[in-house]
Short mmCIF file of all heavy atoms in Angstrom, two decimals:
data_model
loop_
_atom_site.label_atom_id
_atom_site.label_comp_id
_atom_site.label_asym_id
_atom_site.label_seq_id
_atom_site.Cartn_x
_atom_site.Cartn_y
_atom_site.Cartn_z
N GLY S 109 2.69 -21.04 -6.84
CA GLY S 109 1.63 -20.57 -5.96
C GLY S 109 1.75 -21.20 -4.59
O GLY S 109 2.17 -22.36 -4.46
N LEU S 110 1.39 -20.45 -3.57
CA LEU S 110 1.41 -20.92 -2.18
C LEU S 110 0.01 -20.67 -1.62
O LEU S 110 -0.49 -19.53 -1.67
CB LEU S 110 2.46 -20.13 -1.40
CG LEU S 110 2.75 -20.49 0.04
CD1 LEU S 110 3.36 -21.89 0.14
CD2 LEU S 110 3.71 -19.47 0.65
N ILE S 111 -0.65 -21.69 -1.12
CA ILE S 111 -2.03 -21.55 -0.65
C ILE S 111 -2.03 -21.24 0.84
O ILE S 111 -1.41 -21.92 1.64
CB ILE S 111 -2.85 -22.83 -0.90
CG1 ILE S 111 -2.71 -23.31 -2.35
CG2 ILE S 111 -4.33 -22.59 -0.59
CD1 ILE S 111 -3.37 -24.66 -2.62
N THR S 112 -2.78 -20.18 1.21
CA THR S 112 -2.86 -19.75 2.60
C THR S 112 -4.32 -19.64 3.02
O THR S 112 -5.22 -19.52 2.17
CB THR S 112 -2.16 -18.40 2.81
OG1 THR S 112 -2.97 -17.35 2.29
CG2 THR S 112 -0.80 -18.37 2.13
N LEU S 113 -4.53 -19.66 4.32
CA LEU S 113 -5.88 -19.56 4.88
C LEU S 113 -5.94 -18.27 5.69
O LEU S 113 -5.21 -18.12 6.67
CB LEU S 113 -6.16 -20.78 5.76
CG LEU S 113 -7.60 -21.07 6.20
CD1 LEU S 113 -8.52 -21.23 5.00
CD2 LEU S 113 -7.63 -22.32 7.06
N GLU S 114 -6.80 -17.34 5.28
CA GLU S 114 -6.92 -16.06 5.98
C GLU S 114 -8.15 -16.10 6.87
O GLU S 114 -9.24 -15.71 6.50
CB GLU S 114 -7.03 -14.90 4.98
CG GLU S 114 -6.98 -13.54 5.66
CD GLU S 114 -6.98 -12.39 4.67
OE1 GLU S 114 -7.41 -12.57 3.53
OE2 GLU S 114 -6.55 -11.29 5.06
N GLY S 115 -7.95 -16.60 8.07
CA GLY S 115 -9.05 -16.80 9.01
C GLY S 115 -9.56 -18.22 8.94
O GLY S 115 -9.75 -18.78 7.86
N VAL S 116 -9.79 -18.83 10.12
CA VAL S 116 -10.19 -20.24 10.16
C VAL S 116 -11.68 -20.40 10.40
O VAL S 116 -12.14 -21.48 10.76
CB VAL S 116 -9.39 -21.01 11.23
CG1 VAL S 116 -7.91 -20.99 10.91
CG2 VAL S 116 -9.65 -20.44 12.64
N ASP S 117 -12.46 -19.35 10.19
CA ASP S 117 -13.91 -19.41 10.39
C ASP S 117 -14.52 -20.62 9.69
O ASP S 117 -15.36 -21.34 10.25
CB ASP S 117 -14.57 -18.13 9.87
CG ASP S 117 -13.97 -16.88 10.46
OD1 ASP S 117 -12.75 -16.67 10.31
OD2 ASP S 117 -14.73 -16.09 11.06
N GLY S 118 -14.09 -20.86 8.45
CA GLY S 118 -14.67 -21.91 7.63
C GLY S 118 -14.33 -23.32 8.07
O GLY S 118 -14.90 -24.29 7.55
N LEU S 119 -13.42 -23.46 9.03
CA LEU S 119 -13.11 -24.80 9.55
C LEU S 119 -14.11 -25.24 10.61
O LEU S 119 -14.08 -26.39 11.06
CB LEU S 119 -11.69 -24.84 10.12
CG LEU S 119 -10.55 -24.46 9.17
CD1 LEU S 119 -9.21 -24.70 9.84
CD2 LEU S 119 -10.64 -25.23 7.86
N GLU S 120 -14.99 -24.32 11.00
CA GLU S 120 -16.11 -24.63 11.89
C GLU S 120 -15.68 -25.26 13.21
O GLU S 120 -16.42 -26.04 13.83
CB GLU S 120 -17.12 -25.54 11.17
CG GLU S 120 -17.66 -24.97 9.87
CD GLU S 120 -18.64 -25.90 9.19
OE1 GLU S 120 -19.58 -26.41 9.84
OE2 GLU S 120 -18.47 -26.14 7.97
N GLY S 121 -14.48 -24.94 13.67
CA GLY S 121 -14.00 -25.46 14.94
C GLY S 121 -13.56 -26.91 14.89
O GLY S 121 -13.27 -27.51 15.94
N ASN S 122 -13.47 -27.47 13.70
CA ASN S 122 -13.12 -28.88 13.54
C ASN S 122 -11.66 -28.98 13.09
O ASN S 122 -11.33 -28.66 11.94
CB ASN S 122 -14.05 -29.52 12.50
CG ASN S 122 -13.89 -31.03 12.40
OD1 ASN S 122 -12.81 -31.57 12.68
ND2 ASN S 122 -14.94 -31.71 12.00
N LEU S 123 -10.79 -29.43 13.97
CA LEU S 123 -9.37 -29.48 13.64
C LEU S 123 -9.03 -30.53 12.60
O LEU S 123 -8.01 -30.43 11.92
CB LEU S 123 -8.54 -29.69 14.91
CG LEU S 123 -8.62 -28.56 15.93
CD1 LEU S 123 -7.75 -28.87 17.14
CD2 LEU S 123 -8.20 -27.22 15.32
N PHE S 124 -9.90 -31.51 12.41
CA PHE S 124 -9.68 -32.47 11.33
C PHE S 124 -9.77 -31.77 9.98
O PHE S 124 -9.06 -32.14 9.03
CB PHE S 124 -10.69 -33.63 11.40
CG PHE S 124 -10.53 -34.62 10.28
CD1 PHE S 124 -9.38 -35.38 10.15
CD2 PHE S 124 -11.54 -34.78 9.33
CE1 PHE S 124 -9.23 -36.29 9.11
CE2 PHE S 124 -11.41 -35.68 8.29
CZ PHE S 124 -10.25 -36.43 8.18
N TYR S 125 -10.63 -30.75 9.89
CA TYR S 125 -10.71 -29.97 8.65
C TYR S 125 -9.37 -29.28 8.35
O TYR S 125 -9.01 -29.08 7.19
CB TYR S 125 -11.82 -28.93 8.74
CG TYR S 125 -13.22 -29.48 8.67
CD1 TYR S 125 -14.31 -28.70 9.06
CD2 TYR S 125 -13.48 -30.78 8.21
CE1 TYR S 125 -15.61 -29.19 9.00
CE2 TYR S 125 -14.77 -31.28 8.14
CZ TYR S 125 -15.83 -30.49 8.54
OH TYR S 125 -17.12 -30.96 8.48
N LEU S 126 -8.66 -28.87 9.42
CA LEU S 126 -7.34 -28.27 9.21
C LEU S 126 -6.38 -29.29 8.59
O LEU S 126 -5.61 -28.96 7.68
CB LEU S 126 -6.78 -27.75 10.53
CG LEU S 126 -5.42 -27.04 10.43
CD1 LEU S 126 -5.55 -25.73 9.67
CD2 LEU S 126 -4.84 -26.80 11.82
N GLU S 127 -6.44 -30.53 9.06
CA GLU S 127 -5.59 -31.57 8.49
C GLU S 127 -5.95 -31.84 7.04
O GLU S 127 -5.07 -32.07 6.19
CB GLU S 127 -5.70 -32.85 9.32
CG GLU S 127 -5.18 -32.68 10.75
CD GLU S 127 -5.12 -33.99 11.51
OE1 GLU S 127 -4.44 -34.90 11.03
OE2 GLU S 127 -5.76 -34.09 12.57
N LEU S 128 -7.24 -31.78 6.71
CA LEU S 128 -7.66 -31.94 5.32
C LEU S 128 -7.12 -30.80 4.46
O LEU S 128 -6.68 -31.02 3.32
CB LEU S 128 -9.18 -31.99 5.22
CG LEU S 128 -9.87 -33.24 5.77
CD1 LEU S 128 -11.40 -33.12 5.64
CD2 LEU S 128 -9.40 -34.49 5.02
N CYS S 129 -7.13 -29.59 5.01
CA CYS S 129 -6.58 -28.45 4.27
C CYS S 129 -5.09 -28.65 3.98
O CYS S 129 -4.61 -28.33 2.89
CB CYS S 129 -6.79 -27.15 5.05
SG CYS S 129 -8.48 -26.52 5.01
N PHE S 130 -4.36 -29.18 4.96
CA PHE S 130 -2.95 -29.48 4.74
C PHE S 130 -2.80 -30.48 3.59
O PHE S 130 -1.97 -30.29 2.70
CB PHE S 130 -2.32 -30.05 6.01
CG PHE S 130 -0.87 -30.40 5.86
CD1 PHE S 130 0.11 -29.44 6.01
CD2 PHE S 130 -0.48 -31.70 5.55
CE1 PHE S 130 1.46 -29.75 5.86
CE2 PHE S 130 0.86 -32.02 5.40
CZ PHE S 130 1.83 -31.05 5.55
N GLN S 131 -3.60 -31.52 3.60
CA GLN S 131 -3.54 -32.51 2.52
C GLN S 131 -3.90 -31.91 1.18
O GLN S 131 -3.41 -32.36 0.14
CB GLN S 131 -4.47 -33.68 2.85
CG GLN S 131 -4.03 -34.51 4.05
CD GLN S 131 -5.07 -35.54 4.48
OE1 GLN S 131 -5.90 -35.95 3.68
NE2 GLN S 131 -5.02 -35.94 5.74
N MET S 132 -4.74 -30.85 1.18
CA MET S 132 -5.15 -30.19 -0.06
C MET S 132 -4.16 -29.10 -0.49
O MET S 132 -4.37 -28.45 -1.50
CB MET S 132 -6.54 -29.58 0.12
CG MET S 132 -7.64 -30.60 0.33
SD MET S 132 -8.05 -31.49 -1.18
CE MET S 132 -8.90 -30.21 -2.11
N GLY S 133 -3.10 -28.89 0.31
CA GLY S 133 -2.06 -27.97 -0.13
C GLY S 133 -1.92 -26.68 0.65
O GLY S 133 -1.02 -25.88 0.36
N VAL S 134 -2.76 -26.42 1.65
CA VAL S 134 -2.63 -25.20 2.44
C VAL S 134 -1.38 -25.29 3.30
O VAL S 134 -1.14 -26.30 3.97
CB VAL S 134 -3.88 -24.99 3.33
CG1 VAL S 134 -3.67 -23.78 4.25
CG2 VAL S 134 -5.12 -24.80 2.48
N ARG S 135 -0.57 -24.23 3.29
CA ARG S 135 0.69 -24.26 4.03
C ARG S 135 0.84 -23.13 5.04
O ARG S 135 1.75 -23.16 5.87
CB ARG S 135 1.87 -24.24 3.05
CG ARG S 135 2.04 -25.55 2.29
CD ARG S 135 2.37 -26.69 3.23
NE ARG S 135 2.54 -27.98 2.57
CZ ARG S 135 1.57 -28.88 2.41
NH1 ARG S 135 0.34 -28.61 2.85
NH2 ARG S 135 1.81 -30.04 1.83
N ILE S 136 0.00 -22.10 4.98
CA ILE S 136 0.08 -20.99 5.93
C ILE S 136 -1.33 -20.71 6.46
O ILE S 136 -2.29 -20.67 5.69
CB ILE S 136 0.68 -19.73 5.29
CG1 ILE S 136 2.10 -20.00 4.80
CG2 ILE S 136 0.67 -18.56 6.27
CD1 ILE S 136 2.75 -18.83 4.08
N VAL S 137 -1.44 -20.50 7.78
CA VAL S 137 -2.74 -20.31 8.42
C VAL S 137 -2.73 -19.03 9.25
O VAL S 137 -1.91 -18.88 10.17
CB VAL S 137 -3.08 -21.51 9.33
CG1 VAL S 137 -4.40 -21.27 10.05
CG2 VAL S 137 -3.14 -22.80 8.52
N GLY S 138 -3.65 -18.12 8.93
CA GLY S 138 -3.95 -16.99 9.79
C GLY S 138 -5.20 -17.31 10.59
O GLY S 138 -6.21 -17.72 10.02
N LEU S 139 -5.16 -17.15 11.91
CA LEU S 139 -6.27 -17.60 12.75
C LEU S 139 -7.55 -16.79 12.53
O LEU S 139 -8.66 -17.33 12.64
CB LEU S 139 -5.88 -17.55 14.23
CG LEU S 139 -5.12 -18.77 14.77
CD1 LEU S 139 -3.76 -18.91 14.15
CD2 LEU S 139 -5.03 -18.70 16.28
N THR S 140 -7.40 -15.50 12.26
CA THR S 140 -8.58 -14.64 12.16
C THR S 140 -8.47 -13.74 10.94
O THR S 140 -7.41 -13.55 10.35
CB THR S 140 -8.70 -13.73 13.39
OG1 THR S 140 -7.57 -12.85 13.42
CG2 THR S 140 -8.76 -14.52 14.68
N TRP S 141 -9.62 -13.16 10.62
CA TRP S 141 -9.65 -11.93 9.82
C TRP S 141 -9.76 -10.81 10.85
O TRP S 141 -9.09 -10.88 11.89
CB TRP S 141 -10.78 -11.96 8.78
CG TRP S 141 -10.73 -10.80 7.82
CD1 TRP S 141 -9.69 -10.48 6.99
CD2 TRP S 141 -11.73 -9.81 7.64
NE1 TRP S 141 -9.98 -9.33 6.28
CE2 TRP S 141 -11.24 -8.89 6.67
CE3 TRP S 141 -12.99 -9.59 8.19
CZ2 TRP S 141 -11.98 -7.79 6.24
CZ3 TRP S 141 -13.72 -8.49 7.76
CH2 TRP S 141 -13.21 -7.60 6.79
N ASN S 142 -10.57 -9.82 10.67
CA ASN S 142 -10.57 -8.69 11.62
C ASN S 142 -11.40 -8.93 12.88
O ASN S 142 -11.23 -8.23 13.86
CB ASN S 142 -11.09 -7.43 10.92
CG ASN S 142 -10.07 -6.82 9.98
OD1 ASN S 142 -8.87 -6.97 10.20
ND2 ASN S 142 -10.53 -6.16 8.94
N HIS S 143 -12.30 -9.90 12.84
CA HIS S 143 -13.25 -10.05 13.93
C HIS S 143 -12.99 -11.36 14.69
O HIS S 143 -12.05 -12.09 14.41
CB HIS S 143 -14.67 -9.97 13.39
CG HIS S 143 -14.91 -8.75 12.56
ND1 HIS S 143 -14.75 -7.47 13.06
CD2 HIS S 143 -15.25 -8.59 11.24
CE1 HIS S 143 -15.00 -6.58 12.11
NE2 HIS S 143 -15.30 -7.24 10.99
N ALA S 144 -13.85 -11.65 15.66
CA ALA S 144 -13.68 -12.85 16.48
C ALA S 144 -14.24 -14.07 15.76
O ALA S 144 -15.21 -13.98 15.00
CB ALA S 144 -14.38 -12.68 17.82
N ASN S 145 -13.61 -15.21 15.98
CA ASN S 145 -14.17 -16.49 15.53
C ASN S 145 -13.92 -17.52 16.63
O ASN S 145 -13.56 -17.16 17.75
CB ASN S 145 -13.58 -16.91 14.18
CG ASN S 145 -12.07 -17.10 14.19
OD1 ASN S 145 -11.46 -17.30 15.25
ND2 ASN S 145 -11.45 -17.06 13.03
N TRP S 146 -14.07 -18.78 16.31
CA TRP S 146 -13.95 -19.83 17.33
C TRP S 146 -12.52 -20.01 17.85
O TRP S 146 -12.31 -20.61 18.90
CB TRP S 146 -14.47 -21.16 16.78
CG TRP S 146 -13.77 -21.65 15.54
CD1 TRP S 146 -14.14 -21.43 14.25
CD2 TRP S 146 -12.57 -22.43 15.48
NE1 TRP S 146 -13.24 -22.01 13.38
CE2 TRP S 146 -12.27 -22.64 14.12
CE3 TRP S 146 -11.73 -22.98 16.45
CZ2 TRP S 146 -11.17 -23.38 13.68
CZ3 TRP S 146 -10.62 -23.71 16.02
CH2 TRP S 146 -10.35 -23.90 14.67
N ALA S 147 -11.54 -19.47 17.11
CA ALA S 147 -10.14 -19.69 17.49
C ALA S 147 -9.51 -18.50 18.21
O ALA S 147 -8.64 -18.68 19.06
CB ALA S 147 -9.31 -20.01 16.24
N ALA S 148 -9.93 -17.27 17.87
CA ALA S 148 -9.25 -16.09 18.42
C ALA S 148 -10.03 -14.83 18.09
O ALA S 148 -10.96 -14.84 17.27
CB ALA S 148 -7.84 -15.98 17.85
N ASP S 149 -9.64 -13.73 18.72
CA ASP S 149 -10.17 -12.42 18.37
C ASP S 149 -9.29 -11.78 17.31
O ASP S 149 -8.06 -11.88 17.36
CB ASP S 149 -10.20 -11.50 19.59
CG ASP S 149 -11.51 -11.62 20.37
OD1 ASP S 149 -12.24 -12.61 20.16
OD2 ASP S 149 -11.78 -10.71 21.20
N GLY S 150 -9.94 -11.12 16.36
CA GLY S 150 -9.22 -10.32 15.38
C GLY S 150 -8.91 -8.94 15.93
O GLY S 150 -9.43 -8.53 16.98
N ILE S 151 -8.09 -8.20 15.20
CA ILE S 151 -7.60 -6.92 15.67
C ILE S 151 -8.71 -5.87 15.77
O ILE S 151 -8.61 -4.90 16.53
CB ILE S 151 -6.45 -6.41 14.76
CG1 ILE S 151 -5.71 -5.22 15.40
CG2 ILE S 151 -6.98 -6.05 13.37
CD1 ILE S 151 -5.00 -5.54 16.67
N MET S 152 -9.83 -6.04 15.05
CA MET S 152 -10.93 -5.08 15.10
C MET S 152 -11.98 -5.43 16.17
O MET S 152 -12.93 -4.69 16.36
CB MET S 152 -11.62 -5.01 13.74
CG MET S 152 -10.74 -4.54 12.61
SD MET S 152 -10.27 -2.81 12.78
CE MET S 152 -9.61 -2.50 11.13
N GLU S 153 -11.81 -6.56 16.83
CA GLU S 153 -12.76 -6.97 17.87
C GLU S 153 -12.52 -6.13 19.12
O GLU S 153 -11.43 -6.13 19.69
CB GLU S 153 -12.58 -8.46 18.19
CG GLU S 153 -13.72 -9.07 18.95
CD GLU S 153 -15.01 -9.15 18.16
OE1 GLU S 153 -14.96 -9.38 16.92
OE2 GLU S 153 -16.06 -8.99 18.78
N LYS S 154 -13.54 -5.39 19.55
CA LYS S 154 -13.35 -4.38 20.60
C LYS S 154 -12.89 -4.97 21.93
O LYS S 154 -12.15 -4.33 22.67
CB LYS S 154 -14.64 -3.58 20.79
CG LYS S 154 -14.95 -2.66 19.61
CD LYS S 154 -16.20 -1.82 19.86
CE LYS S 154 -16.47 -0.90 18.68
NZ LYS S 154 -17.70 -0.09 18.88
N ARG S 155 -13.33 -6.18 22.26
CA ARG S 155 -12.95 -6.72 23.57
C ARG S 155 -11.47 -7.07 23.64
O ARG S 155 -10.90 -7.19 24.72
CB ARG S 155 -13.79 -7.95 23.89
CG ARG S 155 -13.55 -9.12 22.95
CD ARG S 155 -14.42 -10.31 23.27
NE ARG S 155 -14.23 -11.37 22.28
CZ ARG S 155 -14.86 -12.53 22.32
NH1 ARG S 155 -15.72 -12.77 23.28
NH2 ARG S 155 -14.64 -13.43 21.38
N GLY S 156 -10.83 -7.30 22.48
CA GLY S 156 -9.38 -7.52 22.45
C GLY S 156 -8.91 -8.77 23.16
O GLY S 156 -7.83 -8.79 23.73
N ALA S 157 -9.71 -9.83 23.10
CA ALA S 157 -9.30 -11.09 23.73
C ALA S 157 -8.26 -11.80 22.87
O ALA S 157 -7.96 -11.38 21.75
CB ALA S 157 -10.52 -11.99 23.95
N GLY S 158 -7.72 -12.88 23.39
CA GLY S 158 -6.69 -13.63 22.68
C GLY S 158 -7.21 -14.91 22.06
O GLY S 158 -8.26 -14.92 21.44
N LEU S 159 -6.47 -16.00 22.26
CA LEU S 159 -6.82 -17.29 21.69
C LEU S 159 -7.82 -18.01 22.60
O LEU S 159 -7.75 -17.91 23.82
CB LEU S 159 -5.58 -18.17 21.51
CG LEU S 159 -4.38 -17.58 20.78
CD1 LEU S 159 -3.31 -18.66 20.62
CD2 LEU S 159 -4.76 -17.01 19.44
N THR S 160 -8.70 -18.77 21.98
CA THR S 160 -9.56 -19.67 22.74
C THR S 160 -8.79 -20.97 23.01
O THR S 160 -7.70 -21.19 22.47
CB THR S 160 -10.83 -20.01 21.95
OG1 THR S 160 -10.46 -20.76 20.77
CG2 THR S 160 -11.58 -18.75 21.52
N ALA S 161 -9.38 -21.84 23.82
CA ALA S 161 -8.75 -23.15 24.07
C ALA S 161 -8.60 -23.92 22.77
O ALA S 161 -7.55 -24.54 22.51
CB ALA S 161 -9.58 -23.95 25.08
N LYS S 162 -9.61 -23.86 21.91
CA LYS S 162 -9.53 -24.55 20.61
C LYS S 162 -8.50 -23.88 19.70
O LYS S 162 -7.82 -24.55 18.92
CB LYS S 162 -10.92 -24.58 19.95
CG LYS S 162 -11.03 -25.45 18.71
CD LYS S 162 -10.76 -26.91 18.97
CE LYS S 162 -11.92 -27.59 19.68
NZ LYS S 162 -13.11 -27.78 18.85
#
Side-chain angles (χ1 to χ4, degrees):
L110 185 65
I111 310 173
T112 75
L113 194 57
E114 187 176 22
V116 298
D117 306 58
L119 302 186
E120 303 179 49
N122 188 332
L123 295 181
F124 178 64
Y125 288 164
L126 182 68
E127 296 188 57
L128 289 178
C129 284
F130 179 84
Q131 293 172 24
M132 294 287 288
V134 175
R135 288 296 180 267
I136 299 177
V137 177
L139 275 66
T140 63
W141 188 58
N142 285 331
H143 308 301
N145 61 20
W146 59 267
D149 271 16
I151 192 64
M152 298 292 193
E153 195 67 35
K154 290 183 179 179
R155 65 182 175 179
L159 309 184
T160 66
K162 189 62 75 71

